[in-house]
Amino acid sequence: MTQPRGSAAKSAALSAALSGAVDLSALKARAEAARKQPAPPAGPAGGDGPPRPASGDAVIDVTEATFQAEVVERSLHQLVVVDLWAEWCGPCKQLSPVLERMAAESGGAWVVAKVDVDANPRIAQLFGAQSIPTIVAIAGGQPVDAFSGALPEPEIRKWINSLLDALRDKLPGIREAEAAGGPVEEPEDPRFTEAEEAFERGDFAAAQAAYERILDVEPANELAKNALAQVKFTARAESADPDARAKADADPADLAAQLDAADLDIAENDVEAGFKRLIDAVRRTAGEDRNRVREHLVALFDLFDPADERVMRARRDLASALF
């Protein structure tokens, strides 16, 4: 699922809550205590277990024991973006590959520190993460910004670039990477650039048209399909009546309110409530009205990983409601 611009206030609130309020000393103390424990048997190469990633690695798997070295200490030199994720999280599977690719393109200006919240719940608790994915930028040993939800790639790039601009004179790793020129990047597809720029300036109709032109030529282009679904949803969520949920609850027969309310539910990560709202509407309607609700619900499914348990459960419930 993508997090539309309409939920920017939620991310801003998360950033404000983290700013100066997260004490990393507890994790530091536990990490130091773990290092004082007897070392495990040496691995095949004679080391003390798995080697730490090289400093130039773009993606690092972090545990509570390695958090101090790989996040706090590393952030004194370069920007560290902590990715709080879990295997079962569909939006995480959309967001993480984007972050990882962008970090690799940076040539060392910043890295992604991946934290499996199921295996490392204390780290998630430290940041007060209420949902995943939650992304936290760490610089100079402290959180500096954050957002939650799977933002579209153009918004993530804008977020990262603003951080790099603000931190360039404070973190030597950023200047070193830029001076070195970084790795050679593949040329950008101008068709996607056109669509992303339209999205960035809020011209959703132009972004939608650009992605549709790509799909006219390449019907199987999954990147364009996913991006088109995100654009359509973002446009709807931004234009939705903010009072739609109250209207929908007061009048179940108000179909337009039900559709807007479901979009608002999804935008605020109340996914199951949004799905249930429309499945209930399917049960109450018939003919063209029922088909309209069904198509809207299926479009919402396209924002998620098909293997997401919430989507699979909702699909079963939809089939039951239809037949």
Side-chain angles (χ1 to χ4, degrees):
M1 186 193 73
T2 183
Q3 182 187 41
R5 293 184 179 185
S7 59
K10 185 175 180 182
S11 292
L14 175 61
S15 297
L18 284 172
S19 180
V22 176
D23 182 5
L24 301 179
S25 60
L27 278 178
K28 176 180 179 180
R30 282 194 287 269
E32 290 176 347
R35 285 200 294 269
K36 293 177 182 177
Q37 297 298 316
D48 295 330
R52 279 181 52 190
S55 60
D57 286 354
V59 183
I60 309 159
D61 288 316
V62 174
T63 66
E64 187 173 312
T66 63
F67 189 90
Q68 169 65 18
E70 295 291 19
V71 175
V72 178
E73 293 176 8
R74 187 185 289 264
S75 75
L76 302 177
H77 182 76
Q78 62 189 153
L79 175 65
V80 178
V81 175
V82 177
D83 178 7
L84 301 175
W85 70 285
E87 184 61 37
W88 47 264
C89 170
C92 299
K93 294 177 181 178
Q94 293 182 350
L95 177 63
S96 292
V98 175
L99 287 172
E100 293 166 15
R101 172 167 49 80
M102 290 173 57
E105 292 171 356
S106 79
W110 61 283
V111 296
V112 175
K114 295 177 63 65
V115 177
D116 183 338
V117 298
D118 288 338
N120 303 277
R122 288 177 178 173
I123 297 179
Q125 292 167 8
L126 172 78
F127 290 116
Q130 299 297 312
S131 63
I132 55 173
T134 288
I135 308 301
V136 185
I138 309 290
Q142 290 295 326
V144 294
D145 204 356
F147 68 83
S148 62
L151 294 178
E153 183 171 339
E155 293 195 28
I156 299 172
R157 286 192 180 276
K158 183 177 180 180
W159 183 71
I160 288 290
N161 289 337
S162 68
L163 287 170
L164 295 177
D165 289 342
L167 298 168
R168 184 170 287 107
D169 294 333
K170 300 176 182 178
L171 300 179
I174 297 176
R175 298 192 302 273
E176 291 169 6
E178 292 174 344
V184 177
E185 299 181 20
E186 295 183 7
E188 291 187 3
D189 188 327
R191 302 173 303 169
F192 280 91
T193 300
E194 176 191 359
E196 291 165 1
E197 289 177 349
F199 186 93
E200 281 189 350
R201 65 177 181 266
D203 190 346
F204 302 128
Q208 178 175 333
Y211 286 123
E212 287 174 342
R213 285 194 293 272
I214 296 173
L215 290 170
D216 287 341
V217 179
E218 302 174 30
N221 191 311
E222 290 299 322
L223 183 59
K225 285 181 183 179
N226 294 336
L228 178 59
Q230 292 175 351
V231 168
K232 288 181 176 180
F233 174 76
T234 303
R236 290 201 316 267
E238 289 227 339
S239 62
D241 181 353
D243 297 324
R245 280 177 289 195
K247 293 179 180 178
D249 293 341
D251 183 6
D254 187 340
L255 201 59
Q258 297 296 338
L259 300 182
D260 277 357
D263 285 345
L264 293 175
D265 287 336
I266 299 298
E268 295 185 6
N269 285 331
D270 198 353
V271 176
E272 291 173 323
F275 288 167
K276 182 179 184 302
R277 185 185 296 278
L278 294 188
I279 291 168
D280 289 344
V282 166
R283 291 192 174 99
R284 292 191 301 268
T285 54
E288 288 301 316
D289 284 348
R290 170 179 278 198
N291 192 53
R292 180 183 173 191
V293 177
R294 181 192 62 80
E295 289 180 351
H296 195 100
L297 179 57
V298 170
L300 292 179
F301 290 161
D302 289 341
L303 299 173
F304 296 80
D305 187 316
D308 189 305
E309 292 181 2
R310 298 167 299 183
V311 173
M312 292 190 293
R313 183 165 53 250
R315 286 189 182 277
R316 290 194 296 268
D317 292 343
L318 174 60
S320 176
L322 288 168
F323 304 108

